[in-house]
Amino acid sequence: MELSGKKIYAAIKASGYSVRELQELLYLSCPQPVYRWMHGYTLPSVDNLYRLSVILEIPIEDLLAVKGEKLQ
């Protein structure tokens, strides 16, 4: 989860969206879930992962880490 969090963080940073903007676009009641995803504490639900990939214009596979993968 930690590596997926780093990948999500990098994708969000590269997109130029703020956490607050993503919160609104994902219809979340507070920004905490986005921070938890970025820090690798939790992963987005399938619905939120799909929406996040659409918003960031990046494939879902690029937001998630697979076993044995290292961050570049």
Side-chain angles (χ1 to χ4, degrees):
M1 277 198 315
E2 184 179 346
L3 183 55
S4 291
K6 289 178 181 180
K7 292 178 87 170
I8 291 170
Y9 175 82
I12 290 171
K13 186 172 180 178
S15 75
Y17 282 107
S18 70
V19 171
R20 187 67 70 178
E21 289 170 325
L22 288 174
Q23 171 200 341
E24 292 174 8
L25 291 169
L26 294 167
Y27 305 106
L28 301 171
S29 59
C30 67
Q32 296 315 95
V34 180
Y35 286 114
R36 286 193 294 267
W37 303 337
M38 290 173 28
H39 289 101
Y41 299 142
T42 62
L43 292 174
S45 67
V46 173
D47 292 341
N48 284 329
L49 187 60
Y50 173 75
R51 287 186 206 125
L52 191 60
S53 74
V54 169
I55 292 165
L56 300 179
E57 299 179 3
I58 186 169
I60 290 174
E61 297 84 21
D62 291 348
L63 293 173
L64 298 175
V66 295
K67 188 174 182 176
E69 180 180 4
K70 295 186 193 288
L71 191 62
Q72 299 173 358

